Amino acid sequence: MNANYYQDPTQDVLKKLDVTQDGLTERQAEDRLQKYGKNELAGEKRTTILQKFINQFKDLMIIILLIATFISLLIGEASDALIIFLVVVLNAAFGVFQESKAENAIDALQEMTTPYTRIRRAGQIQQIQSNNVTLGDIILLEAGDVVPADARIIEAHNLKIEESALTGESVPTEKNSEILTDEKAGIGDQDNMAFMNTNVTYGTAEAVVTGIGMETQVGQIAGMISGVEQTTTPLQKNINHLSKILSILILVIAAVIFIFGTATGRETPFDMLLTAISLAVAAIPEGLPAIVTITLALGTQTMSKRNALVRKLPAVETLGTTEIIASDKTGTLTQNKMTVEQIFTDQKLMKVSDYALPLSSRMASIMLLANDSKRTKDGLLGDPTETALIQYFIDKKDDPAEIEQQYKRLDSVPFDSDRKLMSAIVKNKDGKIYCLTKGAVDVLLKRTTKIAVDGQVRDITPADRQKIEDTNSRLAHRALRVLAYAYKPVEKVAQQATSEAYENDLIFVGLTGMIDPERPEVEDAVKEAKAAGIRPLMITGDHKETAQAIAARLGIIEKGDDQGVITGSELDELSDEELRQNVDKYSVYARVSPEHKVRIVKAWQSHGKIVAMTGDGVNDAPALKTADIGVGMGITGTEVSKGAADIVLADDNFATIITAVEEGRKVFANIQKAVQYLLSANLGEVLTLSIMTFANWDIFLPVQILWINLVTDTFPAIALGVEEGEPDAMEHKPRGEKSTFLSNGVGSSIIYQGILESFLTLGVYLLAILDPVHQSSDMVHADALTMSFITLGMLQLGHAFNCKSIHRSIFTTKTFENRFFNWAILGSGVLLAATIFIPGFNNIFHVTTLNLTQWGIIFGAVFLMIVIVEVVKLVQRKTVYKNL
């Protein structure tokens, strides 16, 4: 089924498939359906909701938290166990919800197939369901049909098929039944083949089915989609890496505390075990999964308001790491709508923005009447080139119907790919008959003897011809599709409308240059991407000249840059290793297939680059899944591309992805702030307890450790996750694949801030011992332990303000504008103070009542923590981070 049928004569193809032009017999069709199966795409195995839910618990941090839940129950801390368990379940529920919303890409491919197809079997034309089309069936195609399977064209009459969803080419491809000699012809160059799920826009054809189901080009794409392994996002790698480090450190520290405490005989082995376990539970940042999930979820809400719909939560943060944005051209960077851009008339070339062709002009009548487009309630229907001519007048508020009502079409000479002309024979209200012709410039000029300039008709001169040819060349080099227009008066209508009867001795009128124009906002988006250190690429199935011209207009490459452009056939000459070594030389990839797109994405990934791939066609789906972040188009995108994407742009606006990147960077920065807060706090707790143990001081009881952990960890950290983004988020280069939560000075900040918290807490403990309020030794030590307990908790809450920005001063940030943060700090402070002020809590938490002096010492330590961190940040900004 995979033979190169485009290289064989039609009779040889029919012979290979054991069929005649009358079609299969019913018996043959039944046998082949049994042998080859239905004309359907294989579905991907689905996971149930329960399986999705269970899969969420395979993360190392989640497993550690479940162990911590069990341990908390063992030591009688049911409330702490409940909090940790709820965090874990909430995280899993979010993950299942996001996965369940996604539509299956393979199912979407199946749904695209047209339900019925006209075929010829045993010489009789009949209509059958498309999934019953089989190998060797003769299918009949006409404008408006969706091709049901891959097929070799036997006969074609003015056939054009729109293949942009498969090849990325914006203009419908002219099809014929001629043999192709190129053994390596790409999909977009196989002019004698029709492919499953492409659309017939013009003409009619008969074709023999050469591939069905998974053996079609679309089927191969479906196989590529299902075969792509899920990539681990940078966020998931970060969390897994952090989980492993913390797990090892926590177990080692807990073991050392237990062994030392037991060996020195200061506590019973059971009590020391409880203390070690409590310390381990406290050291685990159990709020981190909830913080990550909630921050990502809030990020998805913000992005949805800005037209970026997130299908997979980690994709929000992955966008922030993006270093390469590989974008499809048609419908993504461009509007996927042919548009008249230049008009050449009266021997002058003008932009449509500077000149409005009068509706009453001869050229206008040719553009509108030598045109087979139809206007329907759903808009213009027909060949995109012809609909663009009508749309030109609609856009400038003219009514094409005014011209159409003045003329009656008597006959026409349809377009064909050999002649490259189309003519309409019309009669106006005065009874005058005209032949109106449009087509390729070189062909039309050969049939022209006169020219109309400024309303006067005269003989065309060699200078006139040269100017027309130069203009044509000039427009073609800008990748514009050029059409020429001519006419002539006709004495009487010929008995048969032929090219010989009408298309000669024509009067040249003008040219139009058309292109699928770039989206107006994309040029600025490309500039912003480059300023943010992101390299934009264009990957398209369109022709090299068109891709190069659009890329230069958008600023993806410099004008005249031929070196930065490579075609699919040139890619085929490169091995994977050669492509990997040279991939950074190219910014534009033209005439490429789905396999090429995947190779390009993988080549960049092999350099450790985080790649985002945007696209809207079926042909983009494999690359969307292979990329670190797949971005589909919500309006023009096929269900396949949207199903394969991580993020869908609701407005099909390329600029929206840059907005999404900014949001992704903000999300990562906020998670990083929460990590800094949590780990510096937990380090402070671990160091404090360790030093107390080794110094043979009184140590915190398990209930005190767990209460500090419960009160200060979760809500302030979550509040940091919803901070506003840094104002210069898009002025820095992407942090890259190797960056972690501990990068950019966060790791060193965690260490010195954790040490600072510990030393200030121990300092308060010593001060309480050296300058006691009470005389009794037991009360002195009880006061000291109480003050250090409250100090450690309050230091963490005060330090949360420091963490609102990693390097900036809290006085340059919007310190009190995050209301959730304010309430989180206030609520946590109240819960911490409640252990002292609420009657009965003193006994539960083994604390004493403190006087104003003692409270003053505690708040003095908190103030000192904030000041010291501010001073360190100032030094960092003056030395290491001078751009802040």
Side-chain angles (χ1 to χ4, degrees):
M1 282 200 238
N2 293 317
N4 289 338
Y5 290 107
Y6 61 83
Q7 292 181 271
D8 298 326
T10 53
Q11 289 305 315
D12 288 358
V13 174
L14 293 171
K15 189 175 180 180
K16 281 184 180 179
L17 295 169
D18 189 21
V19 65
T20 68
Q21 207 162 336
D22 285 336
L24 300 171
T25 64
E26 291 298 335
R27 180 60 185 268
Q28 281 180 308
E30 287 176 15
D31 289 345
R32 294 187 187 195
L33 278 170
Q34 288 291 323
K35 182 177 180 180
Y36 300 118
K38 292 274 191 179
N39 180 31
E40 296 173 338
L41 301 175
E44 205 170 62
K45 188 179 179 181
R46 287 182 177 273
T47 55
T48 65
I49 294 292
L50 179 61
Q51 288 173 320
K52 287 186 176 77
F53 189 74
I54 292 171
N55 286 339
Q56 302 299 316
F57 292 88
K58 293 180 180 179
D59 180 77
L60 179 60
M61 179 67 82
I62 300 299
I63 293 170
I64 293 169
L65 289 176
L66 289 174
I67 295 170
T69 304
F70 180 70
I71 292 171
S72 297
L73 283 172
L74 285 181
I75 62 176
E77 296 299 329
S79 60
D80 208 65
L82 180 62
I83 291 292
I84 297 173
F85 185 70
L86 287 175
V87 163
V88 170
V89 172
L90 178 67
N91 183 71
F94 265 118
V96 171
F97 176 71
Q98 287 298 122
E99 279 189 44
S100 298
K101 284 199 308 181
E103 291 184 1
N104 185 277
I106 306 301
D107 288 348
L109 273 167
Q110 292 174 320
E111 289 167 10
M112 285 179 61
T113 308
T114 184
Y116 292 97
T117 300
R118 287 194 313 135
I119 64 168
R120 185 187 293 121
R121 282 185 181 168
Q124 300 297 312
I125 295 174
Q126 54 184 284
Q127 187 167 276
I128 65 169
Q129 287 189 323
S130 293
N131 62 357
N132 287 326
V133 169
T134 191
L135 200 68
D137 261 328
I138 304 297
I139 56 174
L140 310 177
L141 302 171
E142 61 184 21
D145 286 348
V146 176
V147 181
D150 285 4
R152 170 68 158 85
I153 296 168
I154 302 171
E155 294 180 6
H157 303 281
N158 309 320
L159 182 67
K160 292 185 182 181
I161 299 181
E162 197 269 314
E163 300 177 326
S164 65
L166 187 63
T167 66
E169 187 171 358
S170 55
V171 178
T173 304
E174 296 173 10
K175 296 288 187 176
N176 55 59
S177 59
E178 300 299 319
I179 302 169
L180 295 177
T181 56
D182 185 357
E183 294 182 6
K184 296 182 179 180
I187 300 172
D189 297 316
Q190 294 177 21
D191 296 337
N192 58 12
M193 296 291 294
F195 300 107
M196 187 180 193
N197 291 345
T198 57
N199 301 288
V200 180
T201 63
Y202 198 92
T204 60
E206 287 187 14
V208 58
V209 173
T210 58
I212 61 171
M214 295 301 289
E215 295 298 326
T216 62
Q217 291 293 334
V218 169
Q220 290 176 31
I221 292 173
M224 289 169 66
I225 294 172
S226 59
V228 172
E229 293 182 10
Q230 284 292 103
T231 55
T232 305
T233 69
L235 179 66
Q236 291 165 330
K237 290 176 184 175
N238 261 315
I239 292 176
N240 291 340
H241 180 68
L242 189 61
S243 300
K244 289 174 184 176
I245 292 174
L246 289 177
S247 303
I248 294 168
L249 286 176
I250 289 165
L251 290 173
V252 170
I253 292 168
V256 169
I257 293 289
F258 172 75
I259 293 168
F260 185 84
T262 305
T264 55
R266 57 174 302 147
E267 300 280 355
T268 65
F270 180 73
D271 286 339
M272 279 312 303
L273 178 63
L274 287 182
T275 300
I277 290 172
S278 299
L279 178 62
V281 171
I284 294 172
E286 74 277 0
L288 185 56
I291 291 156
V292 170
T293 302
I294 291 169
T295 305
L296 291 175
L298 291 171
T300 65
Q301 292 180 14
T302 302
M303 289 170 69
S304 66
K305 292 174 184 175
R306 303 175 81 171
N307 294 313
L309 310 177
V310 179
R311 296 179 65 250
K312 299 172 186 174
L313 274 182
V316 180
E317 182 275 335
T318 308
L319 268 174
T321 67
T322 302
E323 296 168 277
I324 305 292
I325 297 179
S327 176
D328 182 48
K329 178 186 77 70
T330 305
T332 307
L333 297 173
T334 64
Q335 299 175 26
N336 198 17
K337 182 177 69 175
M338 290 300 288
T339 305
V340 177
E341 192 169 273
Q342 301 264 1
I343 291 178
F344 177 77
T345 186
D346 294 329
Q347 293 297 76
K348 292 188 287 286
L349 180 64
M350 292 156 286
K351 293 181 179 178
V352 295
S353 57
D354 301 329
Y355 172 75
L357 185 69
L359 189 62
S360 58
S361 67
R362 179 66 67 188
M363 186 167 170
S365 65
I366 304 171
M367 291 167 67
L368 292 169
L369 300 172
N371 194 315
D372 290 326
S373 296
K374 297 175 183 176
R375 274 180 287 172
T376 68
K377 62 181 181 178
D378 298 321
L380 295 169
L381 181 66
D383 184 271
T385 303
E386 294 193 330
T387 59
L389 300 179
I390 296 177
Q391 191 64 45
Y392 164 75
F393 292 99
I394 294 173
D395 289 344
K396 66 188 192 75
K397 310 302 180 187
D398 286 332
D399 184 3
E402 290 182 21
I403 296 297
E404 293 164 358
Q405 290 166 5
Q406 294 175 24
Y407 291 85
K408 178 183 178 183
R409 181 184 279 203
L410 304 176
D411 213 334
S412 67
V413 186
F415 174 89
D416 70 53
S417 55
D418 293 329
R419 203 175 88 259
K420 296 182 179 179
L421 295 175
M422 180 268 180
S423 296
I425 316 304
V426 300
K427 181 170 70 174
N428 67 11
K429 290 184 177 180
D430 297 331
K432 293 181 179 179
I433 302 172
Y434 296 93
C435 169
L436 308 179
T437 304
K438 75 174 191 301
V441 180
D442 54 343
V443 176
L444 188 140
L445 268 182
K446 290 176 184 177
R447 298 167 183 254
T448 299
T449 56
K450 291 181 169 51
I451 186 170
V453 180
D454 297 326
Q456 301 297 315
V457 177
R458 59 173 173 80
D459 290 340
I460 193 167
T461 66
D464 292 329
R465 292 182 184 277
Q466 188 62 50
K467 187 165 186 177
I468 294 165
E469 289 170 356
D470 289 346
T471 303
N472 176 41
S473 177
R474 184 176 164 189
L475 294 175
H477 276 91
R478 296 182 196 167
L480 271 68
R481 184 178 177 86
V482 185
L483 282 181
Y485 304 88
Y487 78 102
K488 75 171 183 179
V490 176
E491 290 295 326
K492 62 178 182 179
V493 178
Q495 287 186 348
Q496 188 174 0
T498 63
S499 177
E500 292 75 17
Y502 291 112
E503 293 173 346
N504 49 61
D505 296 324
L506 298 173
I507 302 166
F508 180 84
V509 175
L511 309 172
T512 57
M514 287 177 280
I515 199 167
D516 176 14
E518 66 274 20
R519 292 178 176 272
E521 67 281 346
V522 171
E523 185 176 359
D524 288 339
V526 168
K527 287 179 183 176
E528 190 174 356
K530 286 186 171 183
I534 301 168
R535 180 170 177 176
L537 308 176
M538 177 191 287
I539 302 182
T540 177
D542 223 331
H543 291 279
K544 180 177 181 178
E545 294 77 13
T546 305
Q548 184 176 346
I550 292 292
R553 287 162 63 150
L554 291 173
I556 293 174
I557 59 174
E558 298 297 323
K559 289 184 179 178
D561 178 11
D562 294 326
Q563 301 304 312
V565 186
I566 188 171
T567 63
S569 59
E570 291 169 333
L571 275 174
D572 287 332
E573 301 299 320
L574 299 177
S575 66
D576 288 343
E577 179 57 27
E578 288 173 327
L579 177 59
R580 192 191 75 79
Q581 291 175 0
N582 294 283
V583 71
D584 62 337
K585 295 179 181 178
Y586 308 111
S587 294
V588 178
Y589 301 83
R591 217 71 181 140
V592 295
S593 68
E595 293 86 350
H596 292 139
K597 295 185 180 187
V598 173
R599 282 187 69 199
I600 293 162
V601 170
K602 286 183 175 179
W604 280 105
Q605 288 174 329
S606 70
H607 288 277
K609 300 293 185 183
I610 304 297
V611 181
M613 169 77 191
T614 72
D616 63 346
V618 175
N619 60 320
D620 297 318
L624 288 173
K625 285 198 76 174
T626 303
D628 298 284
I629 186 85
V631 184
M633 299 293 140
I635 298 174
T636 60
T638 61
E639 289 304 309
V640 186
S641 62
K642 287 186 276 189
D646 302 295
I647 290 176
V648 176
L649 304 184
D651 59 357
D652 283 16
N653 188 337
F654 178 82
T656 302
I657 193 174
I658 305 303
T659 302
V661 168
E662 184 177 5
E663 185 64 28
R665 291 188 176 189
K666 181 189 113 174
V667 164
F668 179 83
N670 283 353
I671 295 175
Q672 200 173 34
K673 292 170 191 175
V675 168
Q676 179 183 349
Y677 170 74
L678 284 172
L679 296 191
S680 59
N682 289 7
L683 178 61
E685 293 172 17
V686 170
L687 284 175
T688 301
L689 198 63
S690 300
I691 292 171
M692 282 179 162
T693 303
F694 296 137
N696 206 27
W697 295 354
D698 291 332
I699 60 173
F700 298 136
L701 298 172
V703 67
Q704 293 173 328
I705 299 169
L706 293 171
W707 186 253
I708 289 177
N709 187 56
L710 182 66
V711 167
T712 64
D713 265 18
T714 307
F715 292 112
I718 291 173
L720 285 169
V722 296
E723 282 289 304
E724 284 191 18
E726 302 283 352
D728 59 350
M730 294 298 284
E731 296 176 13
H732 304 290
K733 290 184 177 180
R735 62 182 186 274
E737 185 184 44
K738 294 182 180 178
S739 174
T740 70
F741 289 133
L742 306 181
S743 301
N744 199 30
V746 173
S748 59
S749 294
I750 288 170
I751 293 171
Y752 92 79
Q753 289 163 8
I755 293 171
L756 182 59
E757 279 188 23
S758 176
F759 279 21
L760 287 172
T761 302
L762 295 171
V764 168
Y765 182 93
L766 275 174
L767 192 59
I769 294 289
L770 297 174
D771 188 16
V773 173
H774 301 93
Q775 298 301 316
S776 163
S777 176
D778 288 344
M779 286 300 297
V780 168
H781 283 88
D783 278 355
L785 200 59
T786 300
M787 287 176 67
S788 56
F789 161 66
I790 297 296
T791 299
L792 183 58
M794 288 296 185
L795 279 173
Q796 293 178 12
L797 297 181
H799 181 48
F801 283 94
N802 289 127
C803 294
K804 286 171 77 75
S805 178
I806 294 170
H807 298 298
R808 293 179 183 276
S809 168
I810 60 172
F811 302 110
T812 60
T813 60
K814 297 175 180 177
T815 310
F816 297 105
E817 288 203 6
N818 183 345
R819 292 183 180 179
F820 180 57
F821 180 86
N822 297 339
W823 283 110
I825 297 298
L826 181 61
S828 297
V830 168
L831 288 172
L832 195 60
T835 59
I836 292 177
F837 291 111
I838 295 180
F841 272 37
N842 304 64
N843 295 329
I844 295 173
F845 290 97
H846 305 277
V847 294
T848 60
T849 303
L850 304 177
N851 62 27
L852 287 176
T853 302
Q854 291 169 316
W855 278 108
I857 293 170
I858 291 169
F859 282 106
V862 174
F863 178 74
L864 195 58
M865 174 82 187
I866 294 173
V867 169
I868 292 173
V869 172
E870 278 293 300
V871 170
V872 173
K873 283 185 181 181
L874 178 63
V875 173
Q876 288 177 329
R877 290 195 300 274
K878 295 290 185 182
T879 55
V880 184
Y881 306 104
K882 295 180 181 180
N883 58 330
L884 295 177

